Amino acid sequence: VSFNGAFHGRPPRPPEAKLPPPPPPALRWLSPGDAVPSVPPPPATATPTPLPSTGDAVANGVGLVPAEPRCNEALEVQVNISNVGTVAFATGGVLRVQAQHVGSGSITATGFGNFPVLVPGQNYVVVVPLIINQFGGEDYRILATADVSNNIIESNEGNNNFQSVQFRLRKAACP
């Protein structure tokens, strides 16, 4: 019985505290001291880093000395190398020169020459000695490949090849 709003005897029972709902079956509550399982992070997605361009080496002209080469005699192949890119090469490169017999498509002589670092717009003539000792009196062409070793990181790797016009190899000392 109450008097002036005060209770006499036993106080009323407090309302029951509501607990959170239980976790789903795959989860459980951790107690102090429980080890927390570690979950490895997902693998990082590799983002390729583009290599900086260091120019663009092209072989863009071929000269022969003598102008009418003779079979089994020394020949100088002069190849103009240009940097048509927008920055200087980081390193020099290697030029490959090949003599290709037009009739068979076979390569009958190969030589190499080096070229230095070139700034944009700069040219350099590489001189490569060759001796062609087959198919005298027949047609040839010179194939030139700038940066054959892929030492130069180029803005365009697809323009390194040059093919000269045909020339007739004089018979001279070939059988």
Side-chain angles (χ1 to χ4, degrees):
V1 180
S2 65
F3 180 76
N4 290 338
F7 288 102
H8 295 278
R10 198 167 159 190
R13 197 171 182 183
E16 286 189 32
K18 291 196 175 193
L19 296 174
L27 301 176
R28 67 178 181 86
W29 293 104
L30 296 177
S31 300
D34 283 352
V36 177
S38 66
V39 176
T45 302
T47 303
T49 303
L51 297 171
S53 169
T54 62
D56 191 6
V58 296
N60 56 8
V62 173
L64 304 176
V65 177
E68 295 184 0
R70 297 165 51 98
C71 190
N72 214 28
E73 293 182 10
L75 160 70
E76 282 187 356
V77 179
Q78 300 174 347
V79 180
N80 188 65
I81 302 292
S82 297
N83 180 353
V84 297
T86 58
V87 295
F89 303 155
T91 184
V94 177
L95 169 76
R96 179 182 65 204
V97 170
Q98 296 175 306
Q100 181 184 43
H101 178 247
V102 172
S104 67
S106 62
I107 303 297
T108 60
T110 300
F112 297 90
N114 297 319
F115 56 92
V117 170
L118 300 176
V119 298
Q122 187 177 9
N123 296 297
Y124 183 83
V125 176
V126 181
V127 178
V128 179
L130 281 184
I131 296 178
I132 305 172
N133 58 13
Q134 298 176 43
F135 304 111
E138 297 186 32
D139 289 337
Y140 271 84
R141 71 175 55 96
I142 297 295
L143 308 176
T145 304
D147 192 31
V148 71
S149 310
N150 287 322
N151 292 336
I152 301 170
I153 300 168
E154 297 180 74
S155 54
N156 181 355
E157 294 286 351
N159 63 354
N160 290 356
N161 298 316
F162 182 83
Q163 178 176 300
S164 76
V165 296
Q166 291 185 38
F167 64 92
R168 176 65 49 109
L169 180 66
R170 303 293 173 225
K171 189 147 175 91
C174 283

